[in-house]
Amino acid sequence: MITAPLNILLVEDNPDHAELVRRHLQNLPVTCRVSQVEDGEAALDFIFGRGAAADRARFPLPDLVLLDLRLPRLDGMEVLRQIKNQPGLRRLPVVMLTTSDAERDMAKAYEFSAHGFLTKPVDFHRFVELFKELGFLPAAPTRPQA
Amino acid sequence: MPLKPVGIQKRTVTAILGTALLAFIVFGLGLILYWNSLAPARVEQFLAPYAEMITAGTAVDAADALRAQAILNSLKSNSQILRADIILPDGRSLASYPPTGSPLSPAACQRPDGIYFVSGNAELVQTLAAGGTKPAHLFIRLSLASMHQRERQTLAEISAAVGVVLIVIVLLQFVLLQRWVLSPLAQLAGIAESAGRHGDYSRRMPAHDEDEFGQLGKSFNALLAMVEQREAALRQLTNFQRAILSDAAYAIISTDLTGLITSLNPAAEKLLGMRAAELIGKATPELFHSAPEVAARAVKLSAQLGVAVPAGFEAFVAEARRGQRSEAEWTYVRPDGSQVPVRLSVTALRDERGGIFGFLGMVADITEHKQAEQALREREAKYRQLFENMTTGFALHEVICDEAGRPVDYRYLEINPAFERLTGVVAGRLLGRTVREAMPGTEKYWIETFGKVALTGVPIAYENYSVELGKHFDTWAFSPKPGQFAVVFSDVTVRKRTEESLLESRRLYAELVSSLPLGVYRVVKEDTRFAFEYVSERFCELTGTDRAAVLTDAAAAFNIIHPEEREQFERLNADAVQQQAAFVWEGRAIVRGQTRWLHIESRPTLLPNRPPFWTGVVFDVSERQNVEEALRQNHSLLEGTLEATADGILAVSAAGKITSYNRQFVELWRVPREILDRHDTATLAEYILQQLSQPAAMQKRFRQFNDTAKADTFDTLEFADGRIFERFSRPQLVDDRVVGRVWSFRDVTTRHWAVTSLRESEHKFKTLFETANDAILIMNEKVFLDCNRMAEVIYGSPREKILGESPVQFSPERQADGVLSAEKAAEKIRSALAGNPQFFEWIHARGDGTLFNAEVSLNRLELRGQTVVQAIVRDITARKQAEAAQHEAEELYRTLVNTSPDGITVLDMEGRVQFSSPKALELFYGTAEVASNLGRNALEFVSEEDHGRAAELLRGALAGKFPTNQRLSMRRADGGKFVAELNGTLLRDGLGVPRGVMLIVRDVTDRQRQDDEIKNKNQELERFTYTVSHDLKSPLITIKGFAGALMTDLLAGRTNRLNEDLKRIILAADKMSELLNGLLELSRIGRIVNPPTEVPMDRLARDVIEMLSGTIQQKQARITVQPDLPVICGDPQRLSEVLQNLLENALKFSRAGVPPEIAIGTELICDEKVFFVRDNGPGIEPRHHAAIFGLFNKLDARSEGTGIGLALVQRIVEHHGGRIWVESQGPGTGTTFYFNLPFRAASSDTKTSAKP
């Protein structure tokens, strides 16, 4: 179990959806420090450590990026592509948040090697599974949560 | 003599020394023992005097102690005496010496008398005689030490002496032993060793003495001598053996019991091709044997010996093992694979006990032997063959004699097949039997004769005739070996017969000669003179000579030759003789005064060793000569005739030889001289035939003539070069017998061709006439003279009915133009006859009265000298019909083309317009009244953008491939464009050759537009659906998510967020509702209920402003509306919504702190009035300009509104045929929305004025 708090970047423009994600993250056995941005440009700024998020001390490189597909200013797919084009950021786990009937989006996301996707509204279980997959949680079974 | 007998000497020495020592010791011991045994005696002896002395001295009465003492003291002189005591019977010591000695123990004297040795002393106890009851005892203790010492000394001396003596003896013994025993032994040993170890048997023992050694020496010598001898013998034997082994030609191989090779001589090495080292101890003979052979032999041996002999070494030695002779032939295989035939004999090697310890094999290379065998076999075979196949009979016999040695019988030993054949007697019957047994009838004479031959060896030869067999035999008997005779005979029956027949022939010959009318003679040239060896009677008759005279002198015959001819005769004669060739002469001779013609002919016979002689005949040929003369005359006549004639003549004999020809023949046939000279019909024939155009056929005909030899023949010959000959031939008969044939040839080329060509043209004409597809009739001025088959068909009447009739008979009264047929016909015919060819149509009537259209052509013709008219009549009814049908079709086609709603164009193979239907012209020119667009390239009518594709399609069409319903953008003459759907077909002419393309052009502009619109609508629908699903999904997610969160919280008992969450859910639901409403509204645009009316835009603007007055006021916005806004034809409500939305947006999105200033008006953009709504808001970045019209797109997600406003506006504007776009530089520059509404009402034009 990772003791240091996880830095999670949440890229979501809908405040309600963002709130839902936050709540789930709070319930995880891992301490998560969630930073939220609401558009693609800001997301890239945060990840690349430029623009408004240039201060790496305050805005460290996140351990995980939860990326909504439909964003203003820069589309989620585009954000993903730009992240993955950076050799240094290839390892950065990026998980897409998407509505369920976006099969096309899924294929594309995998094409751009996102680590996975979560369908909104996200089930808590899925978060747990995801975190286990990403190694943020130990693989030992945790108590099942409703 | 080297002394080296180490062991024995030592032993001897040891023995002697030992013995000496032992003796010494024994002696010593004995001495000691003896001494010791004598010790008491000695002591006694020693003491006795003293004792006696004492005794004597003490005739005691026992009380004289002083005397006793004095006596005892006298013992002082002997230092050895230690003590002496006289003990009284009561035990008191009478006296003791030394006087001061210790008392003696009483026990000491209580011992019986004697000498006792106690503790190295001798103690004497003696009873002193005393007169008394109890004797006194004398006790003397004698120290033996000195005695001992003395004794020891003595002993030592003695010992020493003895030792010395012993040593001397030993030495002496030793020396003696050495001399007598050891030395000889050593010698013996030495000799033995040298013999044994070094093989030196030369040394001998000196053996002079007669003692044992001497004997031993002698024996040993003898032994050595024997050994030496044996050795020598053995060596010799070994050398002998080695010589045998090494140099033997035989290979000798020895093995042990198991077969392992133990030795191998060089010959074996050579034979086997292996070295001894390789084989000895390493292999068994099986190594170089052929395994199959070994196996076979094993099997054979097994059968032979009755025991199972395994295939292996045992096969070699099985017999030898059993003491049997073992000799067999084998094949050895060398390491290089070559094989050697060998004979191997194996013997068992036995030791003295007779046990086998090994085997010895002797191998001889029998290659040569085998070869000799083979040669012998071959010779045998040859002999056999000869014997069997020779044609002379052969029989070998053995003579059987009686006791006196006279031959009485003989036995058949060998008989060959020829014998059997010649005598007819089967060999089986004779062989092994005697002649008296087999052929008892044989005369004694023969037995004796043959017997003589066999015994004396003198051969005999004779001829005899066998009556039974009917044959003559030539026999020869000889003796190949004493006691045997062989008979060789051949069948000479044939020869005999030949001889007889020869004699017979001779006889016949003589008869013949005498009966022939010929004179026969034989003459020989001896040196220079001729001599007749024989002349027949007839000869003399014919020559008028006397036989005897002629035989004596040849000149008698020669003289008859006519003087004029003599020279030639003699010359010929000489030539014949010289060349030894035949002689032939015919000439005059004077016979009995008359001149006669004689023919003399002779042939030489050349025999070796004899001068040649000529055998000849003479006959009178006078008659013949006369005949010949007559003949010659005839001949010359003939020749003259032949040469005089103009025809070429050739005479060929029945045999096929050319007998005669004339000059003309040669010239006609152009035969070269050499061929004629050859007189070879075959060559000539070939030459002739070659020139013909059909040599094969001619050849056949020639052959036919041979069969019909008696017939006259007439023929025409065609030459390859075009010449024509007439040929006539006739057999040459002599008395009705065909002796040959005479041919005559005449060149008729020119005449022939003339005739031929005439005939040909006639023939051609005839053919044409008959086979023409048209009716051909020949007529004079009036009637038909001739007609062909087709005429019959056309006129439907048989020939007979046509000929002699006028054409008018086959025509209706009047022609199509109303003129009388008769008149018209006559006119036409006349014209034709005058030399003007006529060609016209005519209505004919058939035989049955039916009319038909005909095409008639009249020509004048010279036919067989007559001037006639040739009429060719063709029934054109069918054609006429076809023409009518075609005309109809054309009409139909033209109607179709002109009335089709689609344009029809025909292009030629270059793509140029050949024809355009009116509709096509309309399409391309706007009107059908176009002068001509012929020759224009079709591509000219295609818009630039589709030029490429059009060209390709055209190419495809010209190739016959045109895909259906191709749409191209076409260009009208006035520049306008339209979309056309094209279908094309390749047009071919009657022969199937492509001659152009027909295109059907349909204006599908509207449809295209419709299609495009449908496509657009579909795309929009797709987008719409996608967008809706997404944008509606968002609030749903919120609802579902928070519902879940609520549930979780409730389950956990948390209520702090309940309110908030519920609010979110409700808001989200509201959002969804809003969205759906907006959608509904948007969809309504597609179903506008309001029909388009005139909408004055300025009034509309004012209305909208009023509607939004509240917000305007609130925002403190200032709105400006341009006057003279045009009147638009459209839906007022929708247009109102447009303005409303735009205004609302402008009001909503204002810069913070800056009161909005909004302008509404029109601008002239590209000659078009375009509406605008301008604000001074924050502006929209150019990259969002397109997006903002998207459904549900909101630049600012949090802002109010559904985000469908602009989409709606766009929809409405587009529905009105316009376009909306936005212009804004970006932040802080304000935004302007432009849109155009093209459907302006008519009245608008008057009102509006151009805006700058």
Side-chain angles (χ1 to χ4, degrees):
Chain A
M1 207 152 122
I2 299 175
T3 47
L6 273 178
N7 286 317
I8 299 179
L9 176 66
L10 175 60
V11 187
E12 171 65 73
D13 63 337
N14 186 316
D16 291 331
H17 298 176
E19 175 58 29
L20 285 168
V21 170
R22 275 181 194 276
R23 293 218 190 152
H24 283 319
L25 291 177
Q26 272 167 17
N27 289 335
L28 285 173
V30 191
T31 318
C32 301
R33 198 157 68 195
V34 182
S35 315
Q36 185 183 353
V37 292
E38 284 158 15
D39 68 53
E41 285 283 356
L44 287 178
D45 286 347
F46 200 99
I47 291 169
F48 293 148
R50 61 171 196 219
D55 185 354
R56 263 290 182 233
R58 275 180 54 216
F59 306 104
L61 184 70
D63 298 308
L64 167 67
V65 177
L66 298 170
L67 176 60
D68 187 32
L69 258 187
R70 289 166 47 82
L71 297 168
R73 288 225 278 168
L74 198 59
D75 189 49
M77 215 33 111
E78 183 57 31
V79 173
L80 172 65
R81 195 181 71 77
Q82 287 205 18
I83 293 173
K84 290 307 170 180
N85 272 348
Q86 288 286 327
L89 294 176
R90 285 243 179 86
R91 298 291 217 73
L92 176 65
V94 177
V95 176
M96 316 299 291
L97 302 171
T98 174
T99 53
S100 67
D101 51 12
E103 278 187 342
R104 272 181 299 161
D105 301 333
M106 282 199 284
K108 263 181 103 183
Y110 277 120
E111 194 190 325
F112 289 136
S113 48
H115 277 252
F117 65 94
L118 298 168
T119 314
K120 299 199 282 193
V122 186
D123 192 54
F124 182 67
H125 282 311
R126 288 289 299 121
F127 265 113
V128 173
E129 269 173 39
L130 175 76
F131 271 54
K132 278 192 199 162
E133 277 171 41
L134 291 172
F136 298 141
L137 280 178
T142 50
R143 327 169 251 132
Q145 299 237 343
Chain B
M1 270 188 301
L3 280 179
K4 264 205 181 176
V6 179
I8 206 168
Q9 188 175 27
K10 238 198 228 154
R11 265 183 260 160
T12 319
V13 164
T14 315
I16 292 175
L17 278 175
T19 316
L21 201 65
L22 201 63
F24 184 71
I25 290 169
V26 165
F27 171 75
L29 278 172
L31 192 65
I32 290 170
L33 276 169
Y34 175 70
W35 200 263
N36 280 348
S37 70
L38 286 183
R42 259 185 297 134
V43 169
E44 207 183 306
Q45 211 174 16
F46 185 71
L47 284 176
Y50 294 102
E52 225 175 84
M53 183 191 69
I54 293 167
T55 311
T58 57
V60 241
D61 62 288
D64 202 344
L66 283 156
R67 189 178 162 108
Q69 189 65 51
I71 295 169
L72 287 182
N73 288 343
S74 69
L75 289 173
K76 203 185 333 181
S77 60
N78 199 334
S79 58
Q80 285 177 352
I81 295 177
L82 291 173
R83 173 185 198 123
D85 289 274
I86 298 173
I87 305 289
L88 295 168
D90 56 20
R92 281 184 303 118
S93 164
L94 188 63
S96 74
Y97 168 78
T100 54
S102 53
L104 193 71
S105 65
C109 283
Q110 285 172 355
R111 288 182 282 185
D113 288 355
I115 297 172
Y116 298 90
F117 295 91
V118 175
S119 325
N121 304 319
E123 295 176 352
L124 171 77
V125 176
Q126 195 173 337
T127 315
L128 286 175
T133 46
K134 266 204 187 156
H137 293 284
L138 174 66
F139 181 80
I140 303 173
R141 185 179 284 161
L142 182 70
S143 166
L144 294 175
S146 55
M147 192 195 287
H148 276 154
Q149 203 179 356
R150 267 212 319 264
E151 277 177 0
R152 272 206 283 279
Q153 216 173 345
T154 319
L155 268 175
E157 286 166 3
I158 293 175
S159 298
V162 170
V164 167
V165 166
L166 269 179
I167 284 172
V168 168
I169 290 175
V170 162
L171 281 172
L172 191 65
Q173 232 181 347
F174 191 73
V175 168
L176 284 177
L177 257 180
Q178 182 78 9
R179 184 160 181 282
W180 287 335
V181 175
L182 289 184
S183 178
L185 270 177
Q187 214 173 353
L188 192 67
I191 293 174
E193 189 182 334
S194 70
R197 194 175 291 184
H198 307 294
D200 177 8
Y201 297 100
S202 54
R203 293 167 45 194
R204 293 286 178 272
M205 280 284 287
H208 336 282
D209 311 328
E210 289 305 322
D211 62 359
E212 285 80 359
F213 269 113
Q215 275 186 345
L216 177 65
K218 279 210 193 88
S219 311
F220 192 68
N221 290 342
L223 183 71
L224 276 181
M226 193 178 71
V227 168
E228 202 173 19
Q229 220 174 23
R230 288 262 171 86
E231 269 253 339
L234 188 68
R235 224 185 344 268
Q236 218 175 8
L237 189 68
T238 310
N239 288 339
F240 181 60
Q241 194 185 28
R242 195 172 297 131
I244 291 176
L245 283 177
S246 337
D247 305 335
Y250 282 81
I252 299 173
I253 303 170
S254 71
T255 69
D256 64 9
L257 272 176
T258 63
L260 207 61
I261 294 172
T262 49
S263 80
L264 204 63
N265 74 338
E269 287 183 333
K270 206 162 94 170
L271 178 73
L272 297 171
M274 291 188 266
R275 284 182 321 168
E278 291 171 34
L279 292 167
I280 292 180
K282 292 188 183 140
T284 71
E286 285 164 86
L287 180 68
F288 39 80
H289 273 266
S290 152
E293 268 191 1
V294 178
R297 182 128 176 90
V299 169
K300 192 165 123 186
L301 280 176
S302 302
Q304 191 179 315
L305 300 173
V307 293
V309 175
F313 181 68
E314 189 58 24
F316 306 134
V317 303
E319 289 162 311
R321 209 187 272 278
R322 289 163 182 72
Q324 294 175 14
R325 233 174 76 85
S326 167
E327 200 172 299
E329 284 183 13
W330 299 87
T331 309
Y332 275 3
V333 183
R334 291 212 184 91
D336 61 7
S338 59
Q339 297 188 337
V340 186
V342 298
R343 186 164 48 242
L344 168 70
S345 70
V346 179
T347 40
L349 295 169
R350 294 179 192 274
D351 55 22
E352 317 79 53
R353 285 176 305 225
I356 300 172
F357 65 87
F359 296 96
L360 186 73
M362 301 235 304
V363 191
D365 183 344
I366 54 170
T367 317
E368 278 179 24
H369 173 79
K370 279 250 172 269
Q371 283 168 354
E373 260 184 21
Q374 179 70 6
L376 186 67
R377 264 199 296 279
E378 278 169 14
R379 270 202 295 274
E380 265 269 346
K382 276 194 203 138
Y383 163 73
R384 254 305 93 176
Q385 227 181 7
L386 179 68
F387 187 75
E388 297 293 325
N389 295 324
M390 60 200 247
T391 51
T392 40
F394 176 93
L396 183 66
H397 320 77
E398 186 179 57
V399 156
I400 301 172
C401 299
D402 61 9
E403 307 80 26
R406 280 196 300 267
V408 291
D409 202 351
Y410 57 83
R411 184 189 316 278
Y412 286 89
L413 296 178
E414 276 190 48
I415 292 173
N416 77 341
F419 179 103
E420 296 177 302
R421 256 201 318 278
L422 289 172
T423 59
V425 178
V426 175
R429 265 190 46 192
L430 299 174
L431 277 175
R433 301 169 73 195
T434 72
V435 68
R436 297 242 297 259
E437 288 169 16
M439 295 202 286
T442 312
E443 297 109 354
K444 257 173 76 157
Y445 166 73
W446 287 114
I447 297 176
E448 279 168 11
T449 315
F450 288 135
K452 203 151 108 183
V453 171
L455 295 171
T456 60
V458 175
I460 54 169
Y462 58 90
E463 234 183 68
N464 72 328
Y465 176 72
S466 159
V467 176
E468 310 97 60
L469 299 172
K471 295 187 185 173
H472 285 272
F473 294 105
D474 209 355
T475 314
W476 181 43
F478 65 97
S479 171
K481 205 164 99 175
Q484 286 184 355
F485 70 91
V487 171
V488 179
F489 59 93
S490 44
D491 185 346
V492 296
T493 318
V494 172
R495 197 190 72 200
K496 270 269 179 263
R497 298 244 165 82
T498 312
E499 279 174 7
E500 279 163 21
S501 60
L502 189 66
L503 282 167
E504 182 70 19
S505 306
R506 255 205 211 134
R507 197 179 48 76
L508 283 172
Y509 172 73
E511 266 185 39
L512 185 73
V513 161
S514 52
S515 58
L516 280 175
L518 300 169
V520 180
Y521 65 90
R522 193 161 65 241
V523 72
V524 70
K525 178 108 188 279
E526 289 164 357
D527 299 326
T528 52
R529 282 162 31 103
F530 287 98
F532 283 97
E533 285 186 356
Y534 166 78
V535 290
S536 73
E537 264 186 46
R538 192 64 57 126
F539 177 92
C540 299
E541 247 180 81
L542 288 170
T543 56
T545 54
D546 175 48
R547 200 166 191 211
V550 171
L551 285 172
T552 325
D553 185 6
F558 286 116
N559 284 339
I560 65 167
I561 308 294
H562 199 282
E564 284 170 19
E565 315 240 14
R566 198 162 298 170
E567 200 187 317
Q568 196 204 21
F569 179 86
E570 274 168 13
R571 196 161 28 88
L572 279 170
N573 212 0
D575 285 343
V577 168
Q578 196 199 18
Q579 289 159 21
Q580 296 188 343
F583 171 80
V584 177
W585 179 84
E586 222 173 74
R588 286 169 291 166
I590 315 283
V591 177
R592 286 188 284 271
Q594 280 187 320
T595 307
R596 308 284 300 170
W597 283 84
L598 293 178
H599 178 101
I600 305 180
E601 206 178 299
S602 69
R603 285 235 159 80
T605 309
L606 304 158
L607 294 172
N609 305 323
R610 265 202 69 169
F613 59 89
W614 277 256
T615 311
V617 294
V618 178
F619 48 89
D620 191 315
V621 294
S622 311
E623 285 289 325
R624 203 193 69 205
Q625 272 298 334
N626 294 335
V627 168
E628 274 182 14
E629 181 61 40
L631 197 65
R632 262 195 296 279
Q633 283 192 10
N634 280 345
H635 195 253
S636 66
L637 179 63
L638 181 67
E639 275 220 26
T641 317
L642 278 179
E643 294 305 324
T645 178
D647 295 340
I649 312 270
L650 177 75
V652 176
S653 72
K657 289 259 168 268
I658 298 170
T659 47
S660 160
Y661 53 87
N662 68 352
R663 195 178 22 94
Q664 213 42 23
F665 171 82
V666 175
E667 271 177 31
L668 272 178
W669 284 97
R670 305 181 192 149
V671 181
R673 192 83 249 174
E674 28 320 340
I675 290 185
L676 284 172
D677 284 344
R678 269 198 259 163
H679 292 273
D680 179 1
T681 320
T683 323
L684 180 68
E686 206 182 288
Y687 185 81
I688 288 169
L689 287 172
Q690 230 177 62
Q691 296 180 40
L692 300 175
S693 60
Q694 287 178 321
M698 193 51 54
Q699 209 165 22
K700 207 161 126 199
R701 221 118 40 120
F702 279 157
R703 275 201 283 277
Q704 278 173 354
F705 292 152
N706 288 337
D707 300 334
T708 59
K710 283 218 181 144
D712 292 354
T713 67
F714 178 73
D715 219 277
T716 311
L717 300 173
E718 281 173 24
F719 277 67
D721 58 6
R723 285 180 296 160
I724 313 279
F725 281 16
E726 261 176 12
R727 187 206 55 188
F728 180 76
S729 82
R730 185 171 206 184
Q732 189 180 356
L733 295 167
V734 174
D735 293 334
D736 208 33
R737 193 171 32 92
V738 177
V739 298
R741 185 167 276 272
V742 179
W743 309 74
S744 79
F745 304 91
R746 188 176 299 175
D747 188 335
V748 294
T749 313
T750 38
R751 195 191 75 197
H752 181 88
W753 275 116
V755 167
T756 311
S757 57
L758 186 65
R759 205 172 295 147
E760 248 179 51
S761 36
E762 268 195 33
H763 180 77
K764 267 185 222 162
F765 176 77
K766 195 93 187 144
T767 312
L768 201 66
F769 190 74
E770 281 308 320
T771 58
N773 236 1
D774 297 325
I776 306 180
L777 307 109
I778 310 288
M779 58 189 292
N780 62 14
E781 207 177 339
K782 292 279 187 281
V783 295
F784 289 124
L785 299 173
D786 196 2
C787 75
N788 70 354
R789 191 187 40 83
M790 203 57 200
E792 292 179 306
V793 172
I794 268 193
Y795 286 130
S797 305
R799 196 146 176 263
E800 306 86 64
K801 290 250 168 67
I802 296 173
L803 297 189
E805 294 288 347
S806 159
V808 182
Q809 288 302 112
F810 295 95
S811 314
E813 203 186 331
R814 285 177 194 273
Q815 287 296 304
D817 56 3
V819 179
L820 281 171
S821 298
E823 269 180 37
K824 204 164 174 193
E827 195 194 308
K828 297 277 182 193
I829 292 167
R830 259 202 301 280
S831 294
L833 273 174
N836 306 320
Q838 301 293 303
F839 189 75
F840 52 93
E841 281 189 27
W842 189 262
I843 302 177
H844 270 293
R846 286 209 185 88
D848 61 5
T850 53
L851 299 178
F852 66 95
N853 286 52
E855 216 171 56
V856 180
S857 107
L858 299 176
N859 278 294
R860 190 177 71 174
L861 199 63
E862 293 293 329
L863 197 62
R864 300 197 201 110
Q866 274 187 294
T867 307
V868 294
V869 171
Q870 177 196 50
I872 301 178
V873 180
R874 190 175 292 170
D875 186 341
I876 56 169
T877 319
R879 196 181 77 191
K880 280 257 177 259
Q881 280 168 353
E883 276 176 12
Q886 190 188 357
H887 190 73
E888 236 179 84
E890 268 183 31
E891 273 302 312
L892 185 65
Y893 166 75
R894 201 164 293 129
T895 316
L896 264 169
V897 159
N898 290 336
T899 56
S900 165
D902 297 328
I904 300 176
T905 315
V906 176
L907 308 175
D908 66 7
M909 296 303 286
E910 270 78 51
R912 289 189 296 254
V913 178
Q914 281 190 331
F915 165 78
S916 295
S917 76
K919 183 67 190 194
L921 290 172
E922 234 183 83
L923 279 176
F924 287 108
Y925 290 93
T927 166
E929 313 302 322
V930 173
S932 161
N933 68 338
L934 292 178
R936 301 268 295 275
N937 194 311
L939 289 174
E940 282 177 32
F941 297 95
V942 180
S943 303
E944 292 88 45
E945 62 262 27
D946 281 342
H947 241 257
R949 207 155 70 83
E952 217 182 284
L953 285 170
L954 185 61
R955 271 199 297 278
L958 290 172
K961 294 200 257 286
F962 195 100
T964 49
N965 297 346
Q966 294 297 306
R967 288 205 188 164
L968 291 173
S969 175
M970 309 301 270
R971 193 175 49 184
R972 266 195 284 269
D974 62 5
K977 291 200 187 166
F978 67 99
V979 178
E981 199 173 81
L982 298 169
N983 277 295
T985 354
L986 185 65
L987 294 175
R988 293 178 193 270
D989 65 11
L991 298 169
V993 175
R995 70 166 191 80
V997 168
M998 179 163 82
L999 295 170
I1000 301 181
V1001 186
R1002 186 176 298 174
D1003 188 337
V1004 295
T1005 318
D1006 288 340
R1007 214 170 68 200
Q1008 183 74 15
R1009 190 162 38 85
Q1010 280 163 11
D1011 289 345
D1012 287 340
E1013 221 176 283
I1014 290 173
K1015 205 162 33 175
N1016 281 342
K1017 284 277 190 292
N1018 281 341
Q1019 274 175 1
E1020 207 181 301
L1021 189 67
E1022 240 179 71
R1023 268 201 312 269
F1024 181 78
T1025 317
Y1026 186 72
T1027 314
V1028 162
S1029 68
H1030 266 276
D1031 285 345
L1032 281 178
K1033 234 347 168 47
S1034 196
L1036 261 179
I1037 288 168
T1038 306
I1039 293 171
K1040 188 159 177 231
F1042 280 102
L1046 268 174
M1047 217 161 69
T1048 315
D1049 279 349
L1050 278 173
L1051 280 174
R1054 286 192 292 267
T1055 56
N1056 55 330
R1057 297 193 285 215
L1058 269 184
N1059 222 6
E1060 196 187 304
D1061 289 352
L1062 279 168
K1063 260 209 210 106
R1064 284 192 210 249
I1065 289 171
I1066 291 168
L1067 276 173
D1070 284 341
K1071 186 67 177 286
M1072 275 182 77
S1073 172
E1074 215 178 286
L1075 284 170
L1076 284 168
N1077 284 338
L1079 275 177
L1080 208 62
E1081 216 176 293
L1082 199 60
S1083 73
R1084 264 195 288 124
I1085 299 300
R1087 289 182 279 114
I1088 292 184
V1089 228
N1090 307 328
T1093 58
E1094 287 186 5
V1095 180
M1097 290 304 287
D1098 46 7
R1099 188 133 47 107
L1100 194 80
R1102 254 174 267 285
D1103 288 341
V1104 166
I1105 289 165
E1106 209 177 295
M1107 213 179 345
L1108 295 172
S1109 57
T1111 323
I1112 293 168
Q1113 231 172 32
Q1114 186 200 358
K1115 292 265 181 168
Q1116 291 168 2
R1118 202 166 59 147
I1119 320 282
T1120 0
V1121 180
Q1122 248 180 32
D1124 300 332
L1125 290 178
V1127 178
I1128 298 298
C1129 195
D1131 184 347
Q1133 206 163 340
R1134 300 281 97 75
L1135 289 172
S1136 164
E1137 282 164 6
V1138 165
L1139 281 179
Q1140 188 181 342
N1141 260 291
L1142 290 172
L1143 258 180
E1144 273 180 356
N1145 277 352
L1147 288 169
K1148 201 174 357 178
F1149 297 109
S1150 57
R1151 268 184 289 172
V1154 177
E1157 276 177 32
I1158 302 164
I1160 303 173
T1162 58
E1163 267 178 29
L1164 206 61
I1165 298 179
C1166 299
D1167 294 335
E1168 198 186 346
K1169 273 224 173 118
V1170 177
F1171 290 89
F1172 66 82
V1173 173
R1174 190 173 291 135
D1175 68 41
N1176 65 342
I1180 305 172
E1181 282 175 50
R1183 61 190 169 121
H1184 298 307
H1185 284 188
I1188 52 172
F1189 292 103
L1191 194 57
F1192 303 138
N1193 259 356
K1194 292 202 290 186
L1195 279 180
D1196 191 353
R1198 277 177 296 224
S1199 64
E1200 282 174 42
T1202 57
I1204 64 167
L1206 280 177
L1208 201 65
V1209 166
Q1210 189 181 42
R1211 222 5 174 358
I1212 297 168
V1213 167
E1214 278 176 2
H1215 186 81
H1216 283 80
R1219 214 165 49 87
I1220 181 166
W1221 68 96
V1222 66
E1223 277 179 27
S1224 170
Q1225 295 315 306
T1229 58
T1231 316
T1232 312
F1233 280 91
Y1234 288 96
F1235 61 95
N1236 67 332
L1237 300 167
F1239 297 135
R1240 301 219 254 128
S1243 51
S1244 68
D1245 288 324
T1246 54
K1247 277 215 183 148
T1248 56
S1249 51
K1251 278 277 170 186

